[in-house]
Each structure stands twice: as structure tokens, then as C-alpha cells.
Amino acid sequence: MRIGELAESTGVSARSLRYYEAQGLIRSCRSPGGWRDFGEDTVERVILIQYLFAAGLGSRTIDQVLPCLEAPLEERTGVLEDLLEREVSRLEERRRDLDRELDTLRALQSETRVDTVRTSWRLEPDTGVRAEHQGMTNTCDPAEPTSNTPAVRQLRLVIEAADFDAARAFFQDALGMSALAAFSEADDAQVVILDAGRATLEITNPAHKRFIDDVEAEGRPSTPIRLALEVDDTAAVTQRAVDGGAQLTAEPRLTPWLSVNARLAAPSLPDLDLTLFQETMESDH
């Protein structure tokens, strides 16, 4: 079965099938004419792979799960159950995070109605909301009325890694970021898009950059572009990151705005600093 026939039988693009093969999830032989030749049983395996991707598993986890799923029941050792339980726990944790964010938004909807707005928030006509916390001022001062339809719907940070596999393993396996999509092109061109949760863009001036470097990394200058990831437990994720090949720049510490921050250098990405931060219950920042 050629790759086009496999794509038609499974509904999966030839591009994705080539990626699955590059990851070792499916295998082919070469015909005398040099064409990829897949066995008939590959159709069922591709459908299973799609099912596992839809469940939020990454390709490395799928590579571990597939032999277990395809083995006879009497030969299974419990590895599959442990892997699936770990993935279920990860997704349940993500669902709890989403539920917490939804509860916060619903409360904000209720509290910002015109008839119930809190007097502790100073509303200034035509300038949005202005709030002050512990000597720091947070302002929203739109130059023009905002539209209900955002002009930007997604922030995606694109990074080039000299060692693609090492970078992917670090972010996907060590930090637990699931794959949303992955593609391979001609000349061994590869890309993977990982789910990083909510995205924000933080713009800072040189003085504030120096201030953050002092607080977070004993004054060690950070790279012009720094990747910051919010986590639930900075110490635990930092250890997982180090175990996954990251170089520790600064140990986790409590910041003046009551978040717990650590700084690392991700493997194969020497020009990109990585901050892990954990917001505490008391934080107002």
C-alpha cells in the first residue's frame, strides 16, 4: 500500500504519515521503484495513533503505548495502565485549571456589572480601568474603543533549535507540553506545535529587564527574548527540567510580588532564557 492509498484509507494526510514514520510510529518498506510500501495492518495502527493524539498524548508517549495496546492481554505488564493513569492525572489537572479560570471570569462578569461594580476599583471615564496594588500601578488606557472581535487571536513563539529532537523532548516530555500538530517536509524539515496554555505578550524596557534579572537571577543578564512558563510547582518542574537536560541558572526563589521564579537555559537553545514561575495565592502581581 502506497502512502497516498494509506492517506485515503485513514483520512490522514501524507504529510502527517511521513511524520509518523519519522517518529517510528509506523514503518514502511521500499518498493523496487523506491516507493514507500505500507502493510495493510498500518491502517488500523494509524487510526489508533490518531485516537491517541486526540486524547492529548505526545508522540513519545504514543510510541510507548502502542506496543502495549497491540500486545495480547496475557503479555501486558501494567506499563500501559501506569502511562494512561499519568496522562489522565495531567488532563484532570488541566481541567481544574480551566475550571478555576472560568470561575474567576464568571465572578468578574458578576462583579463588573454597572449596578454592582466594586468601589475599590477607580473607574475613570474614557480611559478604562485603573487599579493600584502595593505601590505598583496597572492601567488600561485604550486610545480607541476596543472591538468585541480581537485583531490577534493567538500568540505563537517560534524558536529554532539546532537539535530539534532534544528541544522537543525537553518541552514535550520534561515540561509536559502536549503536541497540537507536527509536520515534516522535504530535506528533513521538521516542526512541532506545542500547547503552552494561555499566551500573553510582556513588553519591558531596559530598566525593568535589569530589575527582573536582579530579582530572578542575581543580576545575570537575560537574553533579549525570554520564555516564561507559568507552572503549579516551580521547584518540582525545575527539577524535571534539569533532569531533562536544562542548565539551571538560578534556583527557585520568592519574588517581591510573591511568585516563585526559577531561571534555566533550555537544551540546544543557548540564546533563549527560560523562566518558570508559580503564582502564589497571596500574589497581587
Side-chain angles (χ1 to χ4, degrees):
M1 178 185 300
R2 291 186 179 177
I3 193 168
E5 297 171 314
L6 181 59
E8 185 176 353
S9 298
T10 59
V12 176
S13 69
R15 187 185 194 187
S16 293
L17 293 174
R18 284 192 290 269
Y19 169 73
Y20 295 168
E21 186 178 14
Q23 296 299 306
L25 302 179
I26 60 175
R27 292 175 175 81
S28 68
C29 300
R30 290 289 178 171
S31 70
W35 298 98
R36 286 182 173 88
D37 188 15
F38 295 92
E40 294 294 331
D41 58 347
T42 310
V43 172
E44 184 175 346
R45 175 170 263 236
V46 169
I47 293 173
L48 181 56
I49 290 170
Q50 287 293 101
Y51 184 81
L52 295 172
F53 269 125
L57 304 186
S59 58
R60 289 180 181 271
T61 303
I62 291 174
D63 190 38
Q64 296 175 287
V65 166
L66 281 173
C68 302
L69 288 173
E70 294 171 337
L73 288 175
E74 62 272 13
E75 295 181 11
R76 295 184 182 177
T77 62
V79 172
L80 174 64
E81 289 74 12
D82 291 341
L83 284 171
L84 295 180
E85 180 61 32
R86 190 170 67 224
E87 292 300 318
V88 167
S89 298
R90 179 179 65 81
L91 291 175
E92 285 181 342
E93 183 177 350
R94 183 184 298 177
R95 182 173 63 182
R96 287 192 292 271
D97 290 340
L98 290 173
D99 287 341
R100 183 169 61 249
E101 291 176 8
L102 284 170
D103 289 343
T104 302
L105 284 173
R106 290 182 182 123
L108 186 61
Q109 282 181 315
S110 174
E111 294 169 357
T112 54
R113 292 200 312 268
V114 173
D115 58 338
T116 61
V117 68
R118 289 182 173 182
T119 56
S120 58
W121 295 352
R122 293 202 337 256
L123 299 183
E124 300 180 358
D126 303 322
T127 62
V129 178
R130 180 184 182 91
E132 296 184 358
H133 295 291
Q134 297 183 350
M136 292 184 293
T137 301
N138 179 29
T139 62
C140 177
D141 189 3
E144 298 178 358
T146 58
S147 167
N148 289 330
T149 303
V152 177
R153 293 189 175 275
Q154 180 184 160
L155 173 65
R156 179 174 296 172
L157 178 64
V158 182
I159 56 178
E160 177 187 1
D163 188 335
F164 175 83
D165 291 332
R168 176 175 184 153
F170 174 71
F171 286 101
Q172 188 168 343
D173 298 335
L175 295 186
M177 297 168 68
S178 60
L180 296 177
F183 308 102
S184 59
E185 305 288 357
D187 300 323
D188 197 33
Q190 296 185 74
V191 62
V192 62
I193 300 171
L194 303 179
D195 184 4
R198 185 183 61 194
T200 58
L201 178 63
E202 180 175 317
I203 301 173
T204 183
N205 67 2
H208 190 267
K209 180 177 179 291
R210 289 192 298 271
F211 169 69
I212 295 297
D213 290 340
D214 287 341
V215 168
E216 193 173 276
E218 288 93 32
R220 297 183 184 91
S222 56
T223 51
I225 296 178
R226 178 169 50 91
L227 182 63
L229 300 176
E230 182 179 0
V231 298
D232 289 331
D233 186 334
T234 299
V237 178
T238 297
Q239 186 59 56
R240 288 209 310 268
V242 171
D243 292 342
Q247 180 180 352
L248 184 64
T249 303
E251 296 275 358
R253 77 278 315 282
L254 187 66
T255 68
W257 46 91
L258 302 181
S259 66
V260 180
N261 291 27
R263 185 174 292 180
L264 310 102
S268 79
L269 295 168
D271 298 324
L272 181 70
D273 278 330
L274 173 64
T275 292
L276 300 177
F277 69 98
Q278 171 190 352
E279 300 286 16
T280 66
M281 295 297 292
E282 297 84 4
S283 176
D284 285 323
H285 187 64

